[in-house]
Structure formats: C-alpha cells, structure tokens
Amino acid sequence: MYSNKYIFIYSSIMVIIVAAVLSTAAMLLKPFQDRNIVVEKMRGILSSANIESTTNDAIKLYDKYIKEEIVINTSGEIVSNYENGSFTKGDIRAFDIDLKKELYNKSKKLNYILPLLVCEKDGKKTFIIPLYGKGLWGPIWGYFALSDDYNKVVGVTFAHKAETPGLGAEIDTKAFQQQFIGKQIFDDKGDFTSIKVVKGGIDLIPENLRKHGVDAISGGTITSNSVSDMLNDCLENYLPYIKKQK
Amino acid sequence: MNSEKNEREPLFSFKNRKLLLNPLNKDNPITIQVLGICSALAVTAKLEPAFVMALSVIAVLAISNVIISLLRNGIPPRIRIIVQLVVIASLVILVDQFLKAFVFDVSKQLSVFVGLIITNCIIMGRLEAFAMGNKPWPAFLDGMGNAFGYGWILIVVAFFRELLGSGTIWGYPVFDKLGLYDVGYKNNGFMILPPMALIIVGIIIWIQRARNKDLIEEK
C-alpha cells in the first residue's frame, strides 16, 4: 500500500515533468506555428482574389499582388494606409487587425476600425474584405473579394475551426465557394442585400433574388445560416465607405 | 509469470504475435469490445481524416502503453486513472502541436478530433487492462494491435460512407468519372450522417460473426 505522502510527491513530480515537457514543446514549436498562421491568412486572402498560392510562395505572391492595406473607421474615412511596403497615412496595417476584437467592439457600441485590402492583378483592382463569424461548433472566417464596382463578387474563401466534416465543413471547399463568383451584393435599386445561403437551393426563391443567393449545404444548415449572417454582419460595416467611393 | 522471467522470450513469440494480431479480428476493439464507437462515427464521413485519425491513435496508443508499462510498478493504484489520463493528454497535446507546426493542412482538417483522442475509450481501456500489468514490449505490441484494429474498421467505414455519400474516394470523384450521374444516379445524403456509420459497423459485426463461429454466444 502506498502512503499518502508517496502519492502527493508522485503526482507533484509527474505534473512538474509534464508541464515542463509541454511548455518546452509549445515554446519551441511556436515560431513554426505562427508562421503557418500568417501564411495561411495570406493564402486565404490571395485565394479569394483567385490567385492560387502554395505554402512556399504565399509571402512572395502576397507582396506582389496586395498593393494597399487600408484601415477605415465606421463613417467610412480612411484612418491608415499601407502602400507597397510603407505607410502613407497612419500606422496600422490592415493585415494585423484582429477582426474578432473589432466586431466585439461593434457589439458593445464602441468605436471600431475595419481592414480593407486592395489587390491589383493585370491592372484590375479587387477589394478584399475579411470576414469573421460564429459557426456551429466554433468560429468561421473568410475573405470576400469585390470587383472595383463594389458590387460583383470576384471570389470568396471560407475557413472554419471545428465544423462537422462532410457537412458544415464543406464551406471551405472550392465547390461551395465557386457559387459566389459573379453574385451581387446590391440589388438593381442600389440597396444592400448581402448574399444569402439558401436552404434547399436557389431554385426555390424568386428569379430576381437568385443573383443574391447560393445553394446551402445539405446536412449543414446551421453552418450555412452562419455564413449568411457573417456575410451580412461584416459587409454592412463597409457601406459608408462604399457610398463615399461611388 | 515469475518462472518465465529467466529465459528470454523471442520478440515475436506465439504469444506476442497473438497480442498484435488478435485485435485485428477476434478481439477487435470496435466490433467485439464495442469501444471507441463515438470517434468511429465522427471522423468517418471522409477517408482522409479517418486515415490521419487512425495514424494518430496508433502513435498515441503505442507510446502511452509503453510509458504506462514502464511506470507500472511505481504508480499508486489509487491515482492510477489520473496518471493514465495525464500521460494520454500530454501525448495528444504533443501530437497536436507537431501537426500544427509541420503539417498544418492536415491539422486543419482534423481540427477538434485530435483533441478527442483523449476521450477514446480504447486507449484508457488498454492502459488499464494491459499496460498496467505487462512489460513494455508486449504492451507496445498490444497498443499497435489494438490501434490497427481500430484503424482498419475506421477506414472501411469511411470508404463506404465517402463512396456512397459523396461519390468520391480520397476526394477523387469516382462516380463522376464513371458517368453514373448521367444515368440518373444520385449520392445518398443519408450516408454522410453519423447514424450510417453505426449501421456499417453493424454490418461488419454481422459478417464477422457469421464467418467466425467462436464469436457466436451460446443461448
């Protein structure tokens, strides 16, 4: 029979050893993981503008195509501008903005700022809007690329932390994302409609609304609805800015 | 056991081979012991996550079996379950950190399921039932055997669910290439929902029992 003293000493030593091993591993691997996260973010941004990249060339392609990183405030004024590797105004890089924090500030009715990335490829400008929202099991996020008329969708990417594989997790597949290309976020009168993910498919809705909708994923209703909500919540923030540009 | 201690057992004696091979069929953790069912339902909608899940479970189960077997004489029985859990949880966190650092794409696909290895009852079951009372080498074989037994079921289930549910194998659109959609075939959406995994596991159990008379209980 083991004494209580033995059990206490045994468990203390075990916990200390495990803590040491795990924190060392976490510290040593952190730089690799952080780099992966930055590269992943750049790949998501590039992919929304239909630029394919690999883990190795993402940083190079990002510097080549993303010409401007603009930070705007709630009334649509430009707060900060990072152009071709240097600041022309302010000192915040849109790439570094934590959208989750800004959206939290919005929900608390505090001041918040918004990132907007400008991609330039073959002389055509594309405006990329980062997205962030709640999925079924965890956060979902993505990038939304608009053409220079601020209406037509050039491309989107979505990613998620923990949606159900085969169901909600399908939002990060090409098949789902390609449906968005060519859709419009404003209707003919110029009112903001966002883009809805329609359960049962867009054949069910009136024909004039079909250019503002895409097919949902069967078995992934809650994640599909979350995508609709995320698009609406994130895109509406940019309306003051878009109005000024038009 | 004590009398055998003096003569060294060959590495792959009959007994050791049985440790490795029995869990693949006659003593399968999923179909016979009915353990680890929950993860078998969750990750088998597609082949690739099922495969990486099987690999991760092989690594975690084999290593934790060896560690617990090495520690077995010092572990106070009253806190043995806690010690086992600490070992499993640390290994799973390590696996997760390594995946995140070096194979980020795979880690993204598995997302939460790596963490769920901790709750896989096969692992605690083997630590408690085998590693606590056996030497490291048999414990290693037992871990490998059970993890493979778990893995092959996972892959078979995932194969049928992906093929019939999405019409693909490892993401490759088989049915599309065969032209089945043109003649009116449709994917069975029911296959990608978790209950179908249970039904496929049930069919595997049925086939296994029909072929193997030892497994049929007497009435």
Side-chain angles (χ1 to χ4, degrees):
Chain A
M1 204 52 201
Y2 294 92
S3 65
N4 282 345
K5 197 170 145 200
Y6 178 85
I7 293 179
F8 271 111
I9 295 174
Y10 189 93
S11 35
S12 313
I13 293 177
M14 177 182 72
V15 168
I16 291 168
I17 292 177
V18 166
V21 170
L22 289 185
S23 44
T24 319
M27 261 162 50
L28 292 178
L29 295 174
K30 189 104 178 47
F32 297 100
Q33 295 170 351
D34 286 348
R35 190 175 169 275
N36 282 338
I37 290 168
V38 168
V39 167
E40 181 66 21
K41 196 171 170 184
M42 287 179 170
R43 287 185 68 187
I45 292 169
L46 288 171
S47 164
S48 71
N50 300 321
I51 300 167
E52 286 312 315
S53 59
T54 63
T55 317
N56 297 323
D57 63 7
I59 296 178
K60 220 171 68 201
L61 288 175
Y62 182 88
D63 290 340
K64 184 175 167 199
Y65 289 117
I66 307 296
K67 298 282 185 201
E68 278 179 77
E69 295 180 13
I70 301 172
V71 180
I72 57 177
N73 65 11
T74 41
S75 43
E77 287 148 358
I78 294 176
V79 182
S80 180
N81 195 351
Y82 182 83
E83 222 173 315
N84 291 324
S86 58
F87 287 106
T88 51
K89 191 180 181 190
D91 57 358
I92 313 164
R93 267 190 79 171
F95 186 80
D96 297 330
I97 289 181
D98 181 1
L99 192 58
K100 182 182 174 189
K101 211 174 81 194
E102 303 303 331
L103 291 176
Y104 175 79
N105 286 345
K106 180 191 172 190
S107 69
K108 292 280 167 221
K109 307 243 179 320
L110 297 166
N111 276 332
Y112 61 98
I113 49 173
L114 298 159
L116 179 70
L117 304 159
V118 185
C119 168
E120 216 175 312
K121 194 191 172 197
D122 307 330
K124 275 199 99 168
K125 270 190 177 178
T126 311
F127 298 94
I128 300 169
I129 296 173
L131 308 167
Y132 186 90
K134 279 197 289 249
L136 172 59
W137 304 114
I140 53 175
W141 62 95
Y143 301 94
F144 192 88
L146 277 177
S147 68
D148 50 7
D149 63 357
Y150 292 100
N151 186 17
K152 257 210 180 81
V153 181
V154 174
V156 288
T157 46
F158 296 115
H160 62 93
K161 178 137 196 261
E163 299 311 296
T164 327
L167 305 175
E170 296 291 297
I171 58 167
D172 67 6
T173 58
K174 275 267 169 301
F176 179 70
Q177 293 166 9
Q178 257 159 10
Q179 299 184 77
F180 286 81
I181 296 173
K183 302 283 173 179
Q184 298 172 12
I185 61 167
F186 292 99
D187 64 13
D188 298 336
K189 280 182 237 138
D191 291 329
F192 176 62
T193 55
S194 180
I195 291 178
K196 300 266 180 311
V197 183
V198 184
K199 188 178 176 177
I202 51 171
D203 294 342
L204 296 178
I205 56 174
E207 197 153 358
N208 60 333
L209 291 179
R210 284 184 198 164
K211 59 176 184 272
H212 310 300
V214 296
D215 296 344
I217 301 153
S218 9
T221 305
I222 297 179
T223 309
S224 301
N225 290 343
S226 311
V227 170
S228 290
D229 292 346
M230 171 171 80
L231 286 170
N232 188 53
D233 294 348
C234 291
L235 295 179
E236 69 177 10
N237 303 334
Y238 292 84
L239 292 178
Y241 176 78
I242 293 175
K243 231 163 244 160
K244 274 193 183 154
Q245 302 298 315
K246 272 191 170 172
Chain B
M1 283 298 277
N2 281 342
S3 59
E4 288 173 26
K5 241 178 189 169
N6 294 334
E7 28 177 319
R8 278 185 70 88
E9 232 184 316
L11 279 185
F12 285 100
S13 62
F14 178 66
K15 219 172 70 199
N16 283 349
R17 273 208 311 274
K18 256 176 51 183
L19 284 178
L20 189 62
L21 298 177
N22 263 1
L24 296 185
N25 184 13
K26 258 168 49 188
D27 203 15
N28 190 283
I30 294 187
T31 60
I32 308 299
Q33 301 171 15
V34 201
L35 293 174
I37 289 284
C38 15
S39 59
L41 304 187
V43 298
T44 51
K46 287 261 156 73
L47 260 175
E48 199 180 351
F51 183 74
V52 182
M53 182 71 174
L55 279 188
S56 316
V57 169
I58 289 171
V60 171
L61 184 50
I63 300 172
S64 60
N65 246 6
V66 170
I67 293 179
I68 290 294
S69 168
L70 286 170
L71 296 175
R72 70 187 186 279
N73 293 326
I75 298 175
R78 273 191 283 170
I79 58 163
R80 66 182 194 285
I81 302 279
I82 300 172
V83 176
Q84 291 162 11
L85 261 183
V86 169
V87 170
I88 300 170
S90 333
L91 282 172
V92 169
I93 294 171
L94 277 180
V95 167
D96 191 33
Q97 296 278 332
F98 268 98
L99 290 179
K100 270 195 193 131
F102 299 115
V103 272
F104 192 68
D105 292 336
V106 177
S107 119
K108 234 179 39 189
Q109 258 193 345
L110 278 180
S111 60
V112 289
F113 295 114
V114 175
L116 285 184
I117 298 175
I118 300 175
T119 60
N120 192 324
C121 6
I122 296 173
I123 297 180
M124 275 212 36
R126 290 331 290 169
L127 295 188
E128 177 72 4
F130 197 88
M132 287 296 287
N134 286 282
K135 286 192 218 156
W137 175 246
F140 174 75
L141 290 179
D142 178 79
M144 293 296 270
N146 276 283
F148 273 117
Y150 167 83
W152 83 257
I153 301 277
L154 227 62
I155 287 168
V156 169
V157 174
F159 175 82
F160 285 111
R161 285 182 72 191
E162 187 178 340
L163 185 67
L164 301 175
S166 320
T168 56
I169 296 177
W170 204 278
Y172 182 81
V174 198
F175 284 178
D176 195 21
K177 296 278 176 211
L178 287 176
L180 281 183
Y181 296 118
D182 301 334
V183 293
Y185 175 82
K186 279 200 168 158
N187 285 331
N188 185 350
F190 196 38
M191 291 300 287
I192 48 179
L193 298 175
M196 276 318 283
L198 208 56
I199 293 177
I200 297 177
V201 170
I203 294 173
I204 296 175
I205 296 178
W206 181 20
I207 297 173
Q208 197 183 15
R209 297 212 166 199
R211 288 169 47 108
N212 203 331
K213 299 283 179 244
D214 301 349
L215 296 173
I216 301 171
E217 291 100 351
E218 282 174 39
K219 274 181 193 154

